[in-house]
């Protein structure tokens, strides 16, 4: 069974195929034309963490494809009371056609997928956020930033940084990641990306210097310094990330027509300044809107390939 847990499990053609579906569904949606491919199908959405974009885009997305969504937060299932994942997965997957799970350790997602009878989608784990990357790349395509781009990610070596590593190493573009010392990407995930990069020709550059990373970049990214589950480290992180805010003076080093992306939610004055996120290079709301179409692309691809 094909699941969608990380881009590591997909080849370049498959990633571009999903994006093609997403692009065509977006064009049709704008014309008011809707597919009925998921008629009578139900997507269960299990959220062990909060969400605005992922929840709304999956729920609206499956409905635009003719199907139904079932929203299950921590308050709604027995998971938060300790029912084993392997039981929950077998029960829910016997009643629905696809499952999206947002959770903590990536191994929870893998275990869920192992016991599920239907495709499972990663709606964010501590290690990866692959759905976001599809929306990000769709945005790059729409902004003509997908031809040999230089992309940088400045910030925490978290699920977003890891997902950028997977996308760049699969598609074969240059990615520079700048993180403060002790907040670098996971070394096992980096090693995996380096292996993929040998095939794709991707150039992966890791540094602790944001200026080095952003120089002449086409696409600039960041993410919160305090991910969900790290709230008690807030004060320390704010100190440790000093100098990593993407502000206008840092943006001066990027290409003039570069685009700024952020998966959101954003914390102005920390990882990004108000001037940059509200400025003329920012495409963050197009990026957020593209979540809707990227989700539909994945739902349809999984439906057709299982
Ligand atoms: N970018 C993203 O996944 O946002 P939510 O946490 O609001 O879903
Ligand atoms: N890195 C963030 C992404 C939020 C969409 C988190 O995991 O909280």
């Amino acid at each position: 069974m094909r699941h969608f847990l990380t881009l590591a499990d997909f080849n370049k053609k498959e990633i571009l195929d999903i994006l093609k579906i997403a692009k065509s569904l977006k064009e049709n949606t704008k014309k008011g034309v809707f597919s009925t491919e998921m008629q009578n199908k139900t997507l269960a959405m299990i959220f062990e963490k909060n969400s605005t974009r992922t929840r709304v885009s999956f729920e609206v997305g499956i409905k635009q494809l003719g199907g139904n969504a079932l929203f299950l937060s921590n308050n709604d299932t027995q998971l938060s009371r300790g029912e084993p994942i392997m039981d929950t997965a077998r029960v829910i997957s016997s009643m629905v056609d696809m499952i999206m799970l947002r959770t903590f350790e990536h191994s929870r997602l893998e275990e869920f997928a192992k016991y599920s009878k239907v495709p499972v989608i990663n709606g964010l784990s501590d290690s990866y956020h692959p759905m976001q990357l599809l929306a990000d790349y769709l945005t790059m395509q729409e902004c003509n930033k997908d031809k040999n781009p230089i992309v940088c990610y400045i910030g925490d070596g978290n699920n977003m940084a890891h997902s950028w590593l997977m996308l760049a190493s699969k598609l074969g573009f240059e990615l520079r990641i700048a993180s403060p010392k002790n907040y670098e990407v996971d070394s096992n995930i980096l090693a995996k990306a380096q292996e993929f990069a040998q095939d794709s020709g991707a150039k992966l550059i890791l540094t602790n210097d944001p200026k080095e990373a952003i120089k002449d970049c086409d696409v600039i990214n960041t993410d919160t310094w305090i991910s969900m589950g790290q709230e008690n480290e807030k004060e320390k992180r704010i100190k440790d990330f000093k100098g990593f805010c993407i502000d206008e003076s840092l943006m001066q080093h990027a290409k003039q027509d570069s685009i700024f992306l952020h998966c959101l939610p954003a914390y102005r004055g920390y990882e990004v300044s108000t001037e940059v996120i509200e400025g003329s290079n920012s495409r963050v709301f197009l990026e957020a809107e593209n979540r809707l179409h990227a989700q539909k692309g994945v739902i349809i691809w999984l439906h057709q390939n299982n």
Side-chain angles (χ1 to χ4, degrees), residues 117-302:
K117 295 185 204 60
V118 300
V120 176
I121 300 171
N122 180 358
L124 181 147
S125 68
D126 288 346
S127 304
Y128 295 110
H129 194 7
M131 291 305 316
Q132 180 66 49
L133 268 286
L134 292 182
D136 293 2
Y137 199 72
L138 186 59
T139 309
M140 284 170 59
Q141 289 177 323
E142 290 179 353
C143 298
N144 295 317
K145 298 291 178 202
D146 58 325
K147 309 278 175 296
N148 299 318
I150 305 180
V151 177
C152 73
Y153 172 93
I154 295 176
D156 192 16
N158 62 10
N159 44 12
M160 281 301 298
H162 296 154
S163 303
W164 274 105
L165 275 173
M166 288 303 134
L167 187 76
S169 65
K170 288 287 179 161
L171 298 191
F173 58 79
E174 178 167 340
L175 173 68
R176 305 172 189 165
I177 298 185
S179 309
K181 281 216 165 53
N182 302 321
Y183 294 95
E184 288 99 346
V185 295
D186 178 273
S187 56
N188 292 323
I189 293 177
L190 176 62
K192 207 187 283 184
Q194 281 164 336
E195 220 175 276
F196 297 144
Q198 282 182 355
D199 284 341
S200 68
K203 199 169 163 192
L204 307 176
I205 297 167
L206 285 300
T207 170
N208 299 116
D209 179 1
K211 267 198 205 119
E212 183 191 333
I214 204 170
K215 194 175 179 324
D216 298 329
C217 271
D218 299 291
V219 180
I220 294 102
N221 285 278
T222 186
D223 183 18
T224 180
W225 297 338
I226 302 125
S227 284
M228 289 180 274
Q230 299 173 335
E231 290 78 6
N232 59 356
E233 297 172 28
K234 185 172 175 181
E235 268 175 46
K236 179 170 170 33
R237 283 176 166 266
I238 289 171
K239 271 193 217 129
D240 293 346
F241 279 80
K242 201 168 175 282
F244 280 75
C245 176
I246 303 190
D247 56 15
E248 282 179 312
S249 76
L250 196 55
M251 283 293 283
Q252 296 298 318
H253 300 274
K255 285 198 186 127
Q256 233 184 350
D257 66 346
S258 63
I259 58 168
F260 172 78
L261 300 180
H262 189 312
C263 63
L264 306 180
Y267 301 90
R268 289 162 172 79
Y270 292 107
E271 74 272 9
V272 61
S273 69
T274 300
E275 291 73 23
V276 169
I277 197 168
E278 299 292 347
S280 59
N281 300 76
S282 176
R283 297 290 180 277
V284 299
F285 294 108
L286 174 63
E287 179 188 6
E289 181 191 338
N290 279 336
R291 288 296 303 277
L292 171 62
H293 309 292
Q295 326 294 46
K296 290 186 290 186
V298 168
I299 292 170
I300 293 292
W301 191 93
L302 287 172

